Amino acid sequence: MKGISFKIGTLIILCISFFSSQTTVFAQENEQGLLITTTYPSQIVELGETIKFDLDVSVIGSSQTVDLEMKDMPEGWESNFRGGGNLITSVFVNPNSNVSVDLQLTPPENLETGEYKFVVRGEGDQTSTELDLVIYVEEKVPASLDFKTDLPTLKGSPDTTFRFSTTLNNNGDKDLTINLSADAPMGFLPKFSLSGNEVSSFLLEANRSKTISIELEPITDIPAGEYPFTVYANGGELQAELVLTAVITGQQNIQVSGVDGRLSAKITSGKMTPLQLIVKNTGTAPAQGVELSASAPSGWTISFEPESIEEIPAGEQIEVTANITPSEKAIAGDYVTTFKAKPIDGVNETAEFRITLTTSTLWGIAGVALIAVAVGVVAIAVMRFGRR
């Protein structure tokens, strides 16, 4: 009996649980919900601009038609709802899904800057919902191009390619086709590069900026000085200018030679011989503190008058005396001697001379005398012993 009673009780409990769950499901299926949302419920716009909100309408429960209207709207504003490209006043929404609707708000002509609040209302079959929107209206900023760089002046030598890194900003709401040009100084060639590619025009999107590399390459001998030039960026009715400057600092160029360009000389064995050298600066900047030196054959000595040159202006020359004293044991013949001139901020400039060493005339006379004495001694000997 107890077993039967236990089974009957269990059956009753299961029946109660089943009907209870069915009642809950039935109640949930009859719940109705309605929601209107937008990703950006507040926007900042400019005077005279028409505003659009993307709305999503969704329902819970059964399908229903939702009527749309503006509950609150500032005076003078106009509104309309659009769906599928058409003006609408309501949407049909299936459960657990959403329908996209565009809300367009048009301001009055005499609108002033400030904050404006709106309320969108959705009325379903058994429920309703509202969505608050806010628009902040500000003064319209005129479109413009902004051309700038952190380093408008670069320095270099006459063979330097000057590279300027610049930024061009499009401060407007329209894409622009930009054309670049420059009034480059005489003797220079300008080039424009974007992302490593040489360009003369490119597309600059609204409210975007791009980095432009501007190269100025000397194509002739350019004297030292400042060379300003203007770069122009034209985008339809908009134009921007940027003034850049290339500074040529000049470059020294030392050359060493003999008088009249000769690179040879004759010296006599046994005595010091002066050799005149020309140290010339053919560059565009002064050569400072020029030190003189030489590489001579072993045992030779070479000194200079003066030993150093304080300054050689661009395009001028200085005459230097090299005093050459060969070794006493040097044999007559041709020798190579290298003369060097080195500025403080430069490198050694060299010139090789062919030095011809000849014996002294005095030694020649002494040699002839010795030979004559020897011949005389031989002649006397022949005569004396020949008579016998």
Side-chain angles (χ1 to χ4, degrees), residues 32-50:
Q32 298 294 323
L34 173 60
L35 189 64
I36 299 177
T37 61
T38 184
T39 304
Y40 307 106
S42 63
Q43 296 185 24
I44 300 175
V45 299
E46 297 176 348
L47 280 172
E49 184 178 349
T50 298

Side-chain angles (χ1 to χ4, degrees), residues 129-204:
T129 188
E130 294 180 356
L131 174 65
D132 294 330
L133 302 175
V134 180
I135 294 176
Y136 301 95
V137 179
E138 298 180 352
E139 290 283 354
K140 185 174 183 179
V141 179
S144 65
L145 285 173
D146 183 21
F147 214 173
K148 59 185 180 181
T149 181
D150 293 332
L151 296 172
T153 301
L154 296 179
K155 294 182 179 181
S157 62
D159 57 357
T160 297
T161 297
F162 298 87
R163 293 181 174 86
F164 300 85
S165 180
T166 67
T167 302
L168 183 64
N169 299 309
N170 178 4
N171 302 316
D173 55 3
K174 293 182 179 180
D175 295 348
L176 298 175
T177 298
I178 303 297
N179 294 293
L180 298 171
S181 60
D183 57 354
M186 185 72 69
F188 289 89
L189 177 66
K191 294 181 181 179
F192 310 102
S193 297
L194 192 66
S195 300
N197 299 315
E198 188 174 341
V199 297
S200 58
S201 64
F202 60 92
L203 180 66
L204 183 57

Side-chain angles (χ1 to χ4, degrees), residues 257-273:
S257 68
V259 177
D260 299 330
R262 293 194 305 269
L263 295 176
S264 63
K266 290 183 179 182
I267 64 175
T268 303
S269 175
K271 70 174 184 178
M272 185 269 289
T273 302

Side-chain angles (χ1 to χ4, degrees), residues 90-110:
S90 63
V91 293
F92 181 79
V93 188
N94 289 314
N96 302 317
S97 64
N98 65 281
V99 176
S100 296
V101 175
D102 293 335
L103 168 61
Q104 182 173 297
L105 299 174
T106 304
E109 293 184 358
N110 59 348

Side-chain angles (χ1 to χ4, degrees), residues 291-312:
E291 296 290 337
L292 302 169
S293 61
S295 298
S298 178
W300 293 33
T301 60
I302 299 178
S303 62
F304 296 92
E305 295 178 3
E307 294 181 353
S308 64
I309 305 170
E310 183 177 346
E311 178 180 294
I312 307 177

